[in-house]
Amino acid sequence: MTELKDIERELGRFRRRLWAAAAFVFIAFLLLAARLVFLQVVRHEDLQSQAENNRIAVVPIVPNRGLIVDRNGVVLANNYSAYTLEITPSKVDDVEATIDELSRLVQIEQRDRRRFKRLREESKNFESLPIRTKLTEEEVARFTAQRFRFPGVEIKARLFRNYPYGELASHVLGYIGRINQKEKEQIEDWPEEDQANYRGTDYIGKLGVEQSYERELHGITGVEEVETSAGGRAMRRLHSTPATPGNTVTLSIDIKLQALIERLFGDRRGALVAMDPRTGEILAFVSKPTFDPNLFVDGIDSDSWRELNESLDKPLLNRALRGTYPPGSTFKPFMAIAALNANKRSPTTAIMDSGTFMFGGHRFRSHGDGGLGYVDMHRAIVKSSNVYFYSLANEMGVDLMHDQLEPFGFGRLTGIDLKGEVTGLLPSTEWKRRAYKRPEMQKWYAGETISLGIGQGYNNFTMLQISTALSTLVSGGQRFQPRLVREVQDVVTHEKRVISSQALEALPLKPEHVEIVRRAMYGVTQEGTATRVFMNAGYTSGGKTGTAQAVGIKQNEKYNAARLEAYLRDHSLYEAFAPVDNPRVALAVIVENAGFGAEAAAPIARRVLDYLMLGNYPTEDDIALVQQGKAGPPGGTPRKAAEVPLPRAVGAAVLAGDAASAASAPASAASAASAARAGSMPVLGSMTLQAASAASSPARTARPAAARASTPPAASTAKTGASR
């Protein structure tokens, strides 16, 4: 029997299902419509911004770093462009394997791997880090052909800093290096505008002028909006705000004079600071040995760093700024002016110099085996009588000495426009109470005062402080904050801003007192300890030799340099000014562990004054004698400084020529600034400095290194002994 279907019931069920399906579709469309309205209307602006961001990449344009030039316009620091192979670790599955594969295409040395590892430890994982810098065009081509195999690896054109003269004036210029984590944290505390200016910037000034004038040299970062594909490849540029190059910084030093002084030191350690007493401008600022700042530009390798850091000569130490030494007898003219100013001793008061000074059962020695007889202030300075100044220190006492000499700049910062200056030490009873914890060591003993009179004991100063103090003394009390930068030129407006030294309140020195000391220092070059060196100078100059102990010796023991290790021998010092009646230069120089001041330091000072006063440049034979510590007055026929070629430039961005053509006139600061704007560097004699924007591919050359930035081993405090 066949069952009959209930058609009505089936139709009813179908209609219910149809309505349910229709309702579901309707609700779904309502939800889609609601979502569409929400996305298109409510979140329109937000989503449009996100879409634009997905499509448009905002890329910072790093500005061309400003030039550094000397007072004559010779370029000392510039830029060049080179290709860099970079890895973003967050985009790479296996970094080590990727580096191994890359090494088959481009040369990757072990030092490159070590540097990359160090940078990776210091940086965030999403940052792009260089594995190889300064690629050749052939290497770029090889990688580009295989780029699809290396996600997260790309080639970038980077600007590199270049120091054309290598080690020359490295302590003045400093160097730039990659921004480390500590510096990043400091940047985060800057105002938002300053932070924005460093987006995209990987490098910052570390030392010297590069650090102190970072804001002037960095420039203003530009912005570029680029349309990108889904794969992140740039398709076209939509908008661009160009970067503004850094300003040109002009120094007060003459690089030819700087090079001469560094040559005169030879392989010896020491420092020299020369300045203009009338303005506070630094004319020469030398610290030896030096280092090559190019080593640090793209990250120094560990071998070079170890060699620099572990060297006993400490080439990284800026001795002119941070090396403190006992001043020896160069301190005596300041003791004389302090005594006159405090009415403690008349210039005609005579003291018997028998060769020794006895105090509290202790014998304080003078130079030589015999005494000088009766000496007044003039003769005591000319002949460098220790006994005279022992007795003067005893009469004045440590606190009066401190109060009279501190205004000259001893024991405090000079305010030079370089960071990292140290204060040195001008002792006082208050200083000793603060310096020591044990009560018995806090007490000042009268015997400690005696050796201070001849620049020994606790006295420790930098050559910058002695040069600044001498400038104040010979100019009659006029004081300036010393300056290394002469002017800053805006590369866009051409406007020059003069960086003048700040004039400080003058010291109330009586002209007749200043004249007494100046004439005595003039006598040093005519009948005193520097007579031989300054024979037939052709100008008048004053000076004072100094021989400062690096270590103390026993009362009954004679100094014998041959029996001491090289780092324990006496320092050789000299301070000088010229001309006597209207000083235009004042300088202080030390040659570490080189002995008597007239043997090593004074010959260097003589050649510097000859250059500045007469425009004379010593012969090659004479330079060799100075380097050996065997020179007296200049020998042979001196050359005219204007005719001597500039030092030969070295470095990645230099096309070197012959020395003869290098004698041609250097480019001016104005032309250097113009070249920076135009994207090319000036031609200096035969040396063409390539454009920062040119994609040069320099050879990968290793440079020698050697140093550690700490107090030099020979710059220790001495107690008593001969000081000339």
Side-chain angles (χ1 to χ4, degrees):
M1 180 175 179
T2 304
E3 183 180 354
L4 296 176
K5 292 184 178 180
D6 190 341
I7 301 299
E8 289 296 328
R9 188 173 65 177
E10 291 292 332
L11 287 174
R13 184 184 302 171
F14 174 77
R15 292 189 186 99
R16 287 195 298 271
R17 290 176 179 175
L18 182 62
W19 281 108
F24 176 79
V25 172
F26 180 73
I27 293 172
F29 272 102
L30 281 178
L31 291 175
L32 287 173
R35 181 63 177 171
L36 185 63
V37 170
F38 177 75
L39 294 176
Q40 292 289 341
V41 178
V42 178
R43 296 197 59 196
H44 171 75
E45 294 183 1
D46 181 42
L47 293 176
Q48 184 182 40
S49 176
Q50 289 186 32
E52 287 296 316
N53 289 337
N54 289 333
R55 183 176 66 91
I56 300 173
V58 179
V59 181
I61 304 174
V62 180
N64 196 346
R65 195 169 179 85
L67 304 177
I68 301 177
V69 302
D70 84 335
R71 68 187 299 125
N72 299 313
V74 179
V75 178
L76 307 179
N78 58 15
N79 314 286
Y80 68 96
S81 180
Y83 293 115
T84 299
L85 185 64
E86 303 195 5
I87 300 175
T88 305
S90 61
K91 298 180 180 179
V92 178
D93 295 332
D94 190 335
V95 174
E96 290 300 323
T98 299
I99 294 175
D100 290 338
E101 286 295 317
L102 287 171
S103 65
R104 298 180 181 180
L105 297 176
V106 299
Q107 181 183 0
I108 298 178
E109 299 178 0
Q110 200 60 37
R111 64 176 184 176
D112 297 319
R113 293 174 182 263
R114 289 194 296 264
R115 181 186 59 202
F116 179 83
K117 181 179 179 181
R118 186 183 72 252
L119 291 175
R120 190 177 178 186
E121 291 172 351
E122 296 174 353
S123 306
K124 296 176 181 177
N125 202 44
F126 56 80
E127 292 181 344
S128 178
L129 304 175
I131 182 63
R132 251 295 307 277
T133 58
K134 305 171 188 175
L135 274 69
T136 65
E137 293 183 2
E138 181 182 347
E139 289 175 323
V140 171
R142 283 203 303 266
F143 172 78
T144 303
Q146 299 290 323
R147 185 182 183 278
F148 67 93
R149 296 172 48 205
F150 300 99
V153 183
E154 58 184 333
I155 285 181
K156 293 185 178 180
R158 296 271 189 180
L159 284 174
F160 288 89
R161 196 62 159 168
N162 180 53
Y163 303 95
Y165 295 98
E167 295 186 359
L168 180 56
S170 59
H171 289 286
V172 175
L173 300 174
Y175 59 88
I176 69 167
R178 198 173 184 90
I179 299 174
N180 57 37
Q181 191 58 41
K182 182 179 179 181
E183 290 163 339
K184 289 178 182 178
E185 293 172 358
Q186 293 174 346
I187 291 175
E188 290 174 358
D189 295 332
W190 292 358
E192 180 62 31
E193 182 178 352
D194 292 337
Q195 289 187 44
N197 196 36
Y198 275 77
R199 286 175 186 148
T201 300
D202 294 323
Y203 298 89
I204 197 169
K206 298 285 187 177
L207 287 177
V209 173
E210 291 278 25
Q211 179 187 36
S212 299
Y213 285 83
E214 168 66 26
R215 299 295 179 91
E216 297 287 353
L217 291 166
H218 179 267
I220 301 175
T221 299
V223 177
E224 187 175 55
E225 294 183 0
V226 180
E227 185 178 9
T228 60
S229 66
R233 181 181 293 273
M235 302 299 293
R236 63 189 179 98
R237 184 170 61 185
L238 301 177
H239 175 72
S240 178
T241 301
T244 303
N247 295 327
T248 297
V249 172
T250 302
L251 306 184
S252 57
I253 67 170
D254 177 348
I255 198 61
K256 191 184 292 186
L257 173 61
Q258 183 87 8
L260 170 62
I261 298 171
E262 293 190 13
R263 285 193 64 196
L264 292 171
F265 270 93
D267 294 330
R268 299 172 295 180
R269 302 173 305 279
L272 181 147
V273 177
M275 64 186 297
D276 189 335
R278 304 166 300 175
T279 63
E281 278 191 355
I282 299 294
L283 306 176
F285 195 86
V286 173
S287 175
K288 284 285 289 181
T290 58
F291 63 94
D292 187 351
N294 290 300
L295 286 169
F296 294 87
V297 171
D298 58 343
I300 187 170
D301 63 275
S302 57
D303 291 338
S304 296
W305 172 250
R306 188 181 304 110
E307 187 178 352
L308 284 168
N309 200 40
E310 295 178 1
S311 170
L312 292 177
D313 289 335
K314 298 179 174 60
L316 288 177
L317 173 64
N318 188 337
R319 285 167 163 82
L321 189 71
R322 298 182 56 80
T324 59
Y325 307 86
S329 289
T330 61
F331 198 57
K332 291 173 181 176
F334 300 102
M335 285 291 297
I337 197 68
L340 293 170
N341 201 44
N343 296 317
K344 273 295 182 179
R345 185 169 288 183
S346 166
T348 58
T349 301
I351 300 294
M352 170 56 74
D353 182 348
S354 61
T356 60
F357 181 80
M358 297 298 298
F359 184 86
H362 187 91
R363 176 180 296 171
F364 292 84
R365 289 184 297 271
S366 189
H367 59 273
D369 296 324
L372 295 171
Y374 282 100
V375 292
D376 59 8
M377 184 174 288
H378 178 91
R379 191 161 185 264
I381 293 175
V382 171
K383 298 297 183 181
S384 199
S385 169
N386 284 358
V387 171
Y388 182 93
F389 289 98
Y390 284 144
S391 65
L392 179 57
N394 187 43
E395 291 177 22
M396 293 185 66
V398 62
D399 286 331
L400 180 58
M401 291 164 56
H402 176 275
D403 294 344
Q404 287 291 324
L405 294 174
E406 186 186 38
F408 284 90
F410 292 115
R412 66 184 189 186
L413 302 180
T414 65
I416 190 172
D417 51 344
L418 286 184
K419 295 182 180 180
E421 182 185 4
V422 298
T423 60
L425 175 57
L426 180 66
S428 66
T429 55
E430 174 61 25
W431 162 79
K432 198 174 184 187
R433 281 194 294 269
R434 289 185 283 104
Y436 294 96
K437 294 182 179 179
R438 294 165 56 186
E440 64 271 20
M441 298 187 70
Q442 293 177 340
K443 181 181 178 181
W444 186 272
Y445 297 94
E448 294 177 306
T449 306
I450 307 303
S451 58
L452 297 180
I454 64 166
Q456 296 282 174
Y458 292 109
N459 285 324
N460 268 283
F461 312 121
T462 65
M463 290 304 104
L464 174 61
Q465 288 174 322
I466 296 176
S467 177
T468 303
L470 182 62
S471 295
T472 300
L473 172 57
V474 300
S475 64
Q478 188 176 16
R479 297 189 300 165
F480 292 95
Q481 283 186 343
R483 281 289 177 272
L484 266 165
V485 171
R486 226 181 176 192
E487 63 184 24
V488 175
Q489 182 180 20
D490 190 301
V491 298
V492 176
T493 65
H494 301 274
E495 181 182 352
K496 293 183 179 180
R497 176 165 51 89
V498 176
I499 309 294
S500 58
S501 298
Q502 181 178 348
L504 305 175
E505 183 180 357
L507 298 187
L509 303 179
K510 294 183 178 180
E512 58 270 26
H513 292 166
V514 173
E515 186 64 16
I516 289 169
V517 177
R518 286 205 306 199
R519 288 296 157 187
M521 295 183 74
Y522 172 65
V524 170
T525 67
Q526 302 302 304
E527 53 179 324
T529 52
T531 303
R532 176 172 171 268
V533 174
F534 281 86
M535 187 183 303
N536 301 321
Y539 53 88
T540 60
S541 74
K544 185 70 193 78
T545 55
T547 308
Q549 289 182 343
V551 293
I553 59 176
K554 298 178 181 178
Q555 287 192 54
N556 300 323
E557 184 180 350
K558 286 188 176 182
Y559 174 78
N560 186 342
R563 295 172 56 186
L564 293 174
E565 295 289 338
Y567 285 94
L568 302 179
R569 296 171 187 168
D570 290 348
H571 303 315
S572 176
L573 298 98
Y574 194 76
E575 61 186 3
F577 65 95
V580 171
D581 294 327
N582 184 27
R584 303 199 307 268
V585 59
L587 66 84
V589 55
I590 185 169
V591 184
E592 290 183 11
N593 314 115
F596 182 41
E599 293 176 354
I604 294 177
R606 167 68 191 271
R607 277 74 181 167
V608 174
L609 294 182
D610 283 359
Y611 183 101
L612 292 171
M613 295 294 105
L614 305 175
N616 287 346
Y617 199 99
T619 65
E620 292 299 315
D621 290 341
D622 187 63
I623 292 174
L625 289 174
V626 175
Q627 292 173 343
Q628 299 166 22
K630 299 178 180 179
T637 303
R639 298 167 285 180
K640 286 300 178 183
E643 299 173 357
V644 176
L646 289 167
R648 183 178 293 274
V650 297
V654 174
L655 301 177
D658 57 58
S661 61
S664 56
S668 66
S671 65
S674 177
R677 290 191 305 275
S680 61
M681 294 300 174
V683 176
L684 304 181
S686 64
M687 301 170 296
T688 303
L689 305 181
Q690 289 179 329
S693 58
S696 59
S697 51
R700 291 163 54 80
T701 56
R703 295 181 176 90
R708 177 172 52 198
S710 59
T711 305
S716 56
T717 302
K719 297 299 179 184
T720 64
S723 179
R724 296 179 63 185

